[in-house]
Amino acid sequence: MMPFCGIFTSSNLLEALANYCFETGSYMKNIRNFCIIAHIDHGKSTLADRLLGATGAVTERESQAQLLDNMDIERERGITIKSHAIQMNYTYKGEEYVLNLIDTPGHVDFSYEVSRSIAACEGALLVVDAAQSIQAQTISNLYLALENDLEIIPVLNKIDLPSASPEEVTDDIVDLLGCDPEEIIPASAKTGIGITEILTAIIERVPAPKGVKEESLQALIFDSVYNPFRGVETYFRVLNGEIRKGQHIKFMATGKTYYADEVGTLNLTQTPKKVVSTGDVGYLITGIKEAKEIKVGDTITDAKSPTTNMIEGFEDVKPMVFAGIYPVDTDDYEELRASMEKLQLNDASLVFIPESSAALGFGFRCGFLGMLHLEIIQERLEREFDMTVITTVPNVSYNAYTNREPNTVLLVNNPSDLPDPSKLNRMEEPYIKATIITKSDFVGNVMSLCIEKRGQITNQTYLTTERVELTFDMPLAEIVFDFYDRLKTVSKGYASFDYAPIGMRESRLVRLDVLLNGNIVDALSSLLHQDNAQDIGKKMCEKLRQLIPRQQFDIPIQAAIGAKIISRETVKAVRKDVTAKCYGGDISRKRKLLEKQKKGKKRMRQVGNVEIPQEAFMAVLKLND
């Protein structure tokens, strides 16, 4: 090995060594790119904290719980919403290794981000809770990892818990992976047990990245974040070639070209470098101000000599759930628009367009990845921008075909966009493949719930004598509302749920309208299956009767399908006893006063407005309470 000449301080010695290794090509064999996949609350973020502490990537002063989860909502809920990446250095048998941890979200709503993070790695830590065993999202992410030929390192976490069953869960993992029990690493991220063994396994079992430094640049974008001072920061993994500061680069999905103002690696704080080479993970700053210009899964290449091979697996993130978001005060519309645009810079998967409602005024029709995504956006609007908003009933996207053009698809994101029933040929709704893992005691309850939600069972597998995997084909619209909460209730918390879209299927759907005082409230309209519409319409009327405050006139609440009223409730008027001053005399005097009051109420009902409280718009979500 050629000796280094000159005098180096401790701060620049590592950089000089890295530059030398880049030139000689020996750097790549000491890189390990890995991710952690697990179900929600199986200790993924805590394990990441322990690995950062063990490798010295963070000092004791910098360390805190859930270090990579930098949003308050993530910390409070104990979930990872945004994927993160961080580089660690670790010395093993006298050699310096670079470990790139690409953290992944754990919730099903963010499965596309998980798939792109997995595609940027060569290995994955499969973390399983010793008390909860294998869950649905664990299996889903495991299949993603296996499709990408990742080396799987099983980790049995939380072995220190009194309720842990390490022997039983070890057998479950062996059955799932077909590995030897000795390959499973027992650990406790909370107490630090097994952390050294995990680091050793990463170095010995995860293969070094493959790639050719001399080829044209080919880098995978797996995440992006918005910096208000520097624009969008792009996180990437270099598969071939290298990316240099000042290089003229191109994003293949959008076809746009930029200059690499700054490149570097992702330590706890960003470390600028002159070059990020094959196999490494880094960040890129080009001064882009629009988050929509960067798409997760896109390929970065050199603008002058671009690669011809785009990295497989890229797709535009499609919203699955749609809902209207309106300001409580209509004067705050422009402020809400500004808040939504700022949120979109940090979350490119949020889609919104302006819309107006007769009941709520001006607002936005927003597309979300799922119900959790909707909740997070609503909460961030209230916390970060101090915006109090009204969210309408969530719904999914449907395909409508008219009699005039039976082969032309009309996309329906809003019930008010549905064509007139007389002109409608047929409708299609999105279906999903739902995977539920539960205890065998609750199979009957779970099946009843899924059949109630129009599910069709396609498979039933006993993973063990106590644990069953159920697979259903279900309409996405049926799981949007209260499905997850009810699943947890009927299984006493012992059920996990995962889903994947399987396409559109023809369905008998009708639009259910809610009329208040004879006027349609468009924000309460919903598209429902014909068999369920009557029952839901009746429940909605009953629920609204409890929520709408009494006025000085009767308020009729009606549910209608087209021109047919299917249910009615009445909020009775607050009445003044006008006959109280009559102490006797002819009955005709009392009748005269009551008739006069009746005429006044009728005139008031014609000109009066009914104020709808905010909770009424989400009442449909709690019809079973």
Side-chain angles (χ1 to χ4, degrees):
M1 178 176 169
M2 186 183 75
F4 284 102
C5 300
I7 299 170
F8 293 102
T9 63
S10 58
S11 60
N12 65 11
L13 180 59
L14 274 176
E15 189 173 352
L17 179 61
N19 289 337
Y20 172 76
C21 292
F22 271 133
E23 296 304 320
T24 59
S26 61
Y27 180 71
M28 209 161 68
K29 73 179 182 69
N30 283 15
I31 296 177
R32 299 290 183 271
N33 298 318
F34 70 100
C35 60
I36 305 175
I37 53 178
H39 193 77
I40 300 168
D41 200 33
H42 279 208
K44 179 164 60 71
S45 296
T46 311
L47 178 60
D49 293 345
R50 281 289 175 182
L51 293 174
L52 293 175
T55 56
V58 292
T59 63
E60 195 173 332
R61 183 174 62 84
E62 293 168 326
S63 66
Q64 56 176 312
Q66 291 174 258
L67 184 66
L68 296 181
D69 296 341
N70 49 23
M71 278 195 271
D72 289 340
I73 301 173
E74 290 181 312
R75 293 177 182 283
E76 287 170 18
R77 292 183 178 227
I79 58 174
T80 301
I81 295 165
K82 281 288 285 179
S83 58
H84 300 271
I86 191 164
Q87 190 174 91
M88 300 172 277
N89 293 309
Y90 187 66
T91 305
Y92 177 69
K93 293 184 179 178
E95 283 194 67
E96 186 79 20
Y97 287 86
V98 174
L99 311 180
N100 288 312
L101 165 59
I102 300 172
D103 195 17
T104 59
H107 197 275
V108 62
D109 283 5
F110 309 106
S111 57
Y112 178 66
E113 277 196 49
V114 175
S115 74
R116 295 301 83 206
S117 297
I118 285 172
C121 301
E122 280 80 33
L125 297 179
L126 178 71
V127 179
V128 178
D129 190 325
Q132 298 184 54
S133 190
I134 295 162
Q135 303 286 308
Q137 190 65 28
T138 315
I139 294 176
S140 174
N141 288 346
L142 172 64
Y143 289 158
L144 279 175
L146 291 173
E147 282 171 20
N148 286 273
D149 295 326
L150 265 62
E151 178 66 34
I152 308 296
I153 301 172
V155 176
L156 186 62
N157 195 24
K158 303 188 183 181
I159 59 168
D160 58 316
L161 289 180
S163 58
S165 308
E167 292 84 7
E168 291 177 23
V169 181
T170 298
D171 291 341
D172 292 349
I173 297 171
V174 169
D175 291 341
L176 180 67
L177 292 178
C179 62
D180 294 328
E182 296 75 31
E183 294 177 33
I184 301 167
I185 303 171
S188 168
K190 187 176 180 182
T191 59
I193 299 169
I195 300 301
T196 306
E197 289 81 359
I198 291 170
L199 289 166
T200 302
I202 291 167
I203 291 167
E204 290 184 347
R205 288 155 67 174
V206 175
K210 296 174 183 175
V212 182
K213 184 182 169 186
E214 290 72 28
E215 281 192 12
S216 295
L217 171 64
Q218 188 188 40
L220 169 70
I221 298 174
F222 63 83
D223 196 15
S224 65
V225 294
Y226 184 74
N227 184 319
F229 303 105
R230 310 185 71 185
V232 181
E233 298 171 355
T234 308
Y235 295 166
F236 62 87
R237 150 77 196 276
V238 183
L239 298 184
N240 289 302
E242 58 186 23
I243 184 165
R244 294 181 174 274
K245 182 180 178 180
Q247 186 176 350
H248 197 197
I249 57 161
K250 179 182 178 182
F251 291 174
M252 294 185 74
T254 60
K256 296 190 176 182
T257 58
Y258 308 95
Y259 281 100
D261 296 334
E262 183 178 308
V263 296
T265 51
L266 293 156
N267 301 91
L268 188 61
T269 55
Q270 293 172 345
T271 308
K273 298 281 180 69
K274 290 180 181 177
V275 60
V276 178
S277 192
T278 306
D280 215 344
V281 173
Y283 71 93
L284 164 71
I285 295 174
T286 55
I288 298 171
K289 297 295 182 188
E290 288 288 331
K292 288 181 281 189
E293 291 183 29
I294 294 176
K295 297 182 182 293
V296 172
D298 195 2
T299 305
I300 304 173
T301 189
D302 186 63
K304 294 175 183 174
S305 57
T307 181
T308 54
N309 299 323
M310 191 171 177
I311 297 165
E312 293 181 3
F314 169 75
E315 60 185 61
D316 281 319
V317 180
K318 295 184 182 75
M320 301 288 281
V321 174
F322 296 84
I325 291 184
Y326 295 83
V328 172
D329 187 348
T330 51
D331 293 340
D332 294 337
Y333 173 72
E334 288 301 330
E335 193 178 335
L336 177 60
R337 180 197 289 274
S339 303
M340 297 281 282
E341 286 171 351
K342 287 175 184 173
L343 263 184
Q344 196 179 42
L345 291 171
N346 272 312
D347 186 355
S349 54
L350 170 65
V351 179
F352 66 90
I353 56 170
E355 76 165 1
S356 60
S357 160
L360 300 173
F362 291 101
F364 297 97
R365 191 79 188 163
C366 305
F368 306 94
L369 299 175
M371 285 300 289
L372 177 71
H373 192 206
L374 186 155
E375 285 178 40
I376 287 162
I377 293 297
Q378 190 175 350
E379 204 162 329
R380 288 184 70 184
L381 281 170
E382 290 176 4
R383 287 189 186 201
E384 298 174 24
F385 303 100
D386 201 24
M387 291 295 305
T388 307
V389 294
I390 294 172
T391 307
T392 64
V393 178
N395 63 278
V396 299
S397 185
Y398 301 89
N399 287 346
Y401 297 85
T402 58
N403 291 322
R404 194 170 181 179
E405 297 176 350
N407 296 321
T408 305
V409 181
L410 180 67
L411 197 65
V412 179
N413 293 331
N414 192 338
S416 60
D417 298 336
L418 189 70
D420 187 88
S422 61
K423 299 175 183 175
L424 201 59
N425 182 297
R426 68 188 189 280
M427 285 198 69
E428 293 178 344
E429 64 177 329
Y431 265 69
I432 56 159
K433 179 186 177 185
T435 305
I436 299 168
I437 296 178
T438 186
K439 286 192 170 183
S440 52
D441 301 351
F442 306 114
V443 169
N445 295 346
V446 171
M447 278 190 177
S448 299
L449 173 64
C450 291
I451 291 166
E452 180 193 329
K453 295 289 188 180
R454 296 193 283 137
Q456 298 172 339
I457 187 160
T458 57
N459 194 20
Q460 179 178 345
T461 308
Y462 275 81
L463 302 173
T464 67
T465 53
E466 289 292 315
R467 297 172 64 73
V468 187
E469 181 184 54
L470 301 169
T471 308
F472 292 88
D473 286 354
M474 294 177 67
L476 177 62
E478 295 290 345
I479 69 155
V480 161
F481 301 144
D482 59 347
F483 178 77
Y484 192 67
D485 292 336
R486 288 186 63 194
L487 177 65
K488 288 293 182 185
T489 303
V490 299
S491 65
K492 298 183 181 177
Y494 287 104
S496 61
F497 172 65
D498 180 45
Y499 69 86
I502 55 173
M504 308 291 284
R505 294 186 186 177
E506 191 172 336
S507 191
R508 294 180 298 125
L509 300 169
V510 292
R511 188 176 85 190
L512 179 73
D513 291 319
V514 174
L515 292 80
L516 286 184
N517 205 19
N519 299 317
I520 292 178
V521 182
D522 53 357
L524 287 173
S525 298
S526 53
L527 286 170
L528 301 167
H529 194 267
Q530 195 171 331
D531 297 344
N532 302 337
Q534 186 129 1
D535 184 43
I536 291 175
K538 186 178 179 183
K539 287 181 178 178
M540 283 183 74
C541 290
E542 290 171 355
K543 196 83 174 179
L544 289 168
R545 183 174 61 80
Q546 298 167 16
L547 293 170
I548 292 173
R550 293 170 72 187
Q551 310 285 330
Q552 291 201 20
F553 52 92
D554 285 357
I555 305 170
I557 303 168
Q558 297 165 307
I561 298 172
K564 183 183 177 183
I565 304 296
I566 60 170
S567 179
R568 171 178 170 138
E569 295 285 338
T570 305
V571 179
K572 300 303 289 182
V574 179
R575 299 182 69 90
K576 179 183 177 184
D577 189 1
V578 291
T579 60
K581 58 188 176 183
C582 299
Y583 293 105
D586 193 358
I587 188 68
S588 61
R589 188 178 171 209
K590 290 185 179 180
R591 283 180 180 158
K592 185 179 177 183
L593 287 169
L594 289 169
E595 283 298 322
K596 189 177 177 183
Q597 184 189 41
K598 190 176 177 182
K599 284 181 183 177
K601 298 281 184 191
K602 185 178 180 182
R603 189 167 58 250
M604 194 182 293
R605 191 172 71 239
Q606 288 170 348
V607 298
N609 289 322
V610 181
E611 291 213 357
I612 307 169
Q614 181 176 346
E615 56 267 24
F617 293 101
M618 297 302 279
V620 71
L621 302 184
K622 299 173 183 173
L623 291 179
N624 291 294
D625 287 1

